[in-house]
Amino acid sequence: MSETIPTHATSTDLHHILDRQRTAFLHDGPPDAKKRRSDLHLLKSEILARRTEIVRALTADFGQRSERESAIVELIPLVQSINYMVRHLGHWMKPERRHVSAYFQCGRAWVVRQPVGVVGIIAPWNYPLSLALVPLATAIAAGNRAMLKPSELTPATSAVIAKIVQAIFPPEQVAVVTGGAELGAMFSALPFDHILFTGSTTVGKKVAEAAARNLTPVTLELGGKSPAVIEPGFSMRRAAARIAFGKLINAGQTCIAPDYVLVHENDAATFASAYQDAVHTLHPGGYIGSRDYTAILNQHHYARLNGLVRDAGERGARVIRLGSDSAASHVLAPVLLLDVTPEMAVMQDEIFGPVLPVLTYKTLDDAISFINARPNPLALYYFGDRREERDRLLNHTLSGNVTLNGTLLHIAQDDLPFGGVRESGIGAYHGKEGFITLTHPRGIYRQGRFNAAMLLRPPFGRLSDIITDILLR
Ligand code: NAD
């Protein structure tokens, strides 16, 4: 449908696309609910028509990626979130009547959620399809136009995304531009009406700085070290199985993967043994060449993760490797680290791989202090049945979303907002919050023929004094 965007777009090209989109947006006005639904249906149909191509592209980008897992963790959440938006956007779009005080009667007040205009979307490599297209679907549901920059590290998937968009949208509605950090920097310097960035905290700061120069509002979906806290008395088997599930999907390359475990010192050995069982239950056939396990994206990250494990071992951690690795195809089998201390490199930054450090605590307050001594996590996991303890942990920490007695699954709840806190993110999207984030609440007041406030204008007199006294009560 659309003309092709230059592969090596310059700043002038980017400005040109943005100008075209903004002009078209202001000319056409906000699309009605029917048009938004129809665009979302088009997007979903094009995605489903290219299902095999998408899954193959993901496998090509990672070298080894479970095709079934790709369908489960990329396609299902994407399609479900589109379905959810299609079902609810009519309701979200309805103007909302607001209260008018007695002295402004018989006026009327209401709020219209107006699309902001053109949204710039920047996506990462770890879930390169859904983290590009869920933001795009949200922008469309909110009535906006969008420019999208997928990750340069997953070129095959980015090429399919570009094909999907070009097949169904004209460039003055949605455009995909491809490139790396240099293009990303030019992209985030554009005077968008909103930028939705998903990626690392380091790059998120650069995007926020560039956007601030244009006073462009940002939503930053970042990363961090998400802890899993296990209360004494909770089934270690159940906790270990659910932590292994969350840690090993996409080989731990998940922003909300449980990064490390905090377990009571008396339970550490039981947890370690249960975790090893859980890992073998999930992957009985091993890792190299597995149809169910994903490789680390590239040699750089494979070497980085091995460096973290080596450092932990050198500093006294017990390193338990739970399978064979392949350096050639950068497949890293799960690793369990026991006797971990906070100084180890593995406890400094987000791990983003299948390496699980286990730390122990004596009291829940120790665990809370440990979490609070670090940047706010993107996700927090708590395994326990005691409400009082759970509430203490939740009330005395700050984080993005929480799953209780499990991992990851808060992200699959279409009606929950998704976002971090400061270092792990700014703002939220998903569900209604995505619609709210990418629209402007425009308050409208229609003045009636008469209201009491009209008596508060010059020439002032006794009546205005009486009304002033009444309003100052
Ligand atoms: P990254 O920050 O390196 O890159 C993200 C995107 O930013 C890429 O498209 C990249 O090209 C672009 N970019 C690079 N430099 C830029 C610049 N100066 N200006 C603008 N854009 C620039 O992140 P990544 O390595 O692709 O992804 C991994 C990170 O993303 C992890 O920290 C992970 O936790 C986080 N993440 C967060 C979420 C979430 O929803 N909160 C989801 C997935 C990943």
Side-chain angles (χ1 to χ4, degrees):
M1 181 185 236
S2 87
E3 66 206 73
T4 316
I5 309 295
T7 329
H8 300 288
T10 61
S11 176
T12 315
D13 296 329
L14 297 179
H15 275 279
H16 177 64
I17 303 167
L18 174 59
D19 287 347
R20 275 182 73 181
Q21 291 203 355
R22 185 167 287 126
T23 305
F25 171 76
L26 290 171
H27 178 268
D28 294 354
D32 61 16
K34 196 169 157 218
K35 162 86 170 119
R36 299 184 198 191
R37 282 194 206 101
S38 137
D39 283 345
L40 289 171
H41 278 304
L42 267 179
L43 180 62
K44 175 177 150 183
S45 306
E46 194 64 26
I47 291 164
L48 292 178
R50 293 177 189 266
R51 180 177 164 175
T52 310
E53 194 183 344
I54 288 170
V55 168
R56 288 201 182 131
L58 288 163
T59 303
D61 284 331
F62 282 79
Q64 175 179 313
R65 200 187 208 230
S66 163
E67 294 201 352
R68 286 191 175 119
E69 197 173 276
S70 286
I72 293 166
V73 299
E74 295 257 29
L75 288 169
I76 295 179
L78 173 57
V79 167
Q80 289 296 316
S81 75
I82 293 175
N83 290 347
Y84 188 81
M85 289 184 229
V86 166
R87 267 204 308 280
H88 293 278
L89 71 86
H91 177 63
W92 297 335
M93 284 172 71
K94 287 216 167 81
E96 192 189 330
R97 184 117 173 237
R98 292 296 178 98
H99 180 76
V100 175
S101 1
Y103 50 101
F104 288 117
Q105 298 291 350
C106 327
R108 287 275 175 275
W110 67 95
V111 173
V112 174
R113 303 270 359 163
Q114 192 182 30
V116 291
V118 183
V119 179
I121 298 166
I122 305 177
W125 57 261
N126 61 328
Y127 292 96
L129 183 87
S130 53
L131 292 175
L133 295 187
V134 175
L136 175 62
T138 309
I140 291 169
N144 297 294
R145 300 183 180 234
M147 288 172 66
L148 166 61
K149 193 206 90 60
S151 174
E152 70 282 17
L153 298 179
T154 46
T157 310
S158 298
V160 182
I161 290 172
K163 277 203 249 170
I164 290 172
V165 165
Q166 282 171 12
I168 53 176
F169 298 122
E172 64 273 15
Q173 185 180 359
V174 183
V176 177
V177 292
T178 50
E182 204 183 319
L183 185 100
M186 284 194 298
F187 189 89
S188 50
L190 294 174
F192 284 115
D193 300 298
H194 196 103
I195 292 181
L196 202 165
F197 168 83
T198 307
S200 61
T201 303
T202 312
V203 176
K205 286 181 185 170
K206 293 183 191 174
V207 170
E209 257 182 64
R213 275 179 233 124
N214 297 311
L215 292 181
T216 295
V218 289
T219 302
L220 303 178
E221 298 287 345
L222 311 176
K225 292 183 85 60
S226 301
V229 180
I230 314 173
E231 178 190 287
F234 192 84
S235 158
M236 290 298 141
R237 280 174 69 80
R238 191 144 41 110
R242 293 175 182 188
I243 290 170
F245 160 80
K247 188 70 169 179
L248 300 187
I249 278 193
N250 209 25
Q253 301 165 108
T254 303
C255 55
I256 52 167
D259 187 274
Y260 63 95
V261 165
L262 283 167
V263 64
H264 190 271
E265 57 184 4
N266 296 341
D267 293 327
T270 319
F271 174 79
S273 148
Y275 186 75
Q276 293 174 62
D277 292 346
V279 168
H280 289 305
T281 305
L282 285 174
H283 295 287
Y287 303 94
I288 305 167
S290 164
R291 291 170 66 89
D292 290 343
Y293 191 69
T294 298
I296 301 304
L297 179 77
N298 56 26
Q299 290 296 349
H300 163 73
H301 284 289
Y302 181 78
R304 177 183 65 79
L305 289 163
N306 272 310
L308 295 180
V309 174
R310 201 175 322 111
D311 172 86
E314 284 166 7
R315 292 181 194 231
R318 266 189 293 150
V319 177
I320 304 176
R321 289 184 178 272
L322 299 170
S324 309
D325 306 330
S326 162
S329 47
H330 32 96
V331 173
L332 182 65
V335 182
L336 182 63
L337 297 177
L338 304 176
D339 303 331
V340 171
T341 56
E343 307 72 48
M344 294 174 183
V346 76
M347 289 309 298
Q348 306 309 312
D349 292 316
E350 180 182 19
I351 297 170
F352 227 52
V355 178
L356 185 73
V358 177
L359 292 100
T360 58
Y361 66 82
K362 285 187 199 313
T363 67
L364 185 65
D365 286 337
D366 295 341
I368 291 172
S369 305
F370 189 89
I371 294 167
N372 288 339
R374 288 164 176 75
N376 299 316
L378 179 59
L380 181 62
Y381 300 114
Y382 178 69
F383 294 85
D385 296 318
R386 280 185 284 168
R387 199 177 177 150
E388 206 179 293
E389 301 288 84
R390 178 193 81 192
D391 289 349
R392 198 139 59 90
L393 179 79
L394 296 188
N395 289 337
H396 295 281
T397 54
L398 281 169
S399 75
N401 284 10
V402 171
T403 292
L404 299 172
N405 300 341
T407 57
L408 307 191
L409 296 182
H410 57 261
I411 200 167
Q413 312 312 312
D414 290 315
D415 200 15
L416 284 183
F418 181 81
V421 181
R422 286 199 49 215
E423 299 91 333
S424 54
I426 293 179
Y429 77 124
H430 285 202
K432 187 176 181 184
E433 276 72 13
F435 181 87
I436 288 173
T437 294
L438 297 184
T439 51
H440 166 66
R442 192 184 222 182
I444 300 177
Y445 173 67
R446 191 185 68 205
Q447 190 165 340
R449 280 190 149 204
F450 175 82
N451 63 44
M454 288 163 108
L455 302 172
L456 293 177
R457 47 170 84 140
F460 298 117
R462 181 83 192 110
L463 194 53
S464 64
D465 289 346
I466 293 169
I467 295 173
T468 302
D469 287 345
I470 292 170
L471 294 180
L472 288 178
R473 276 181 202 157

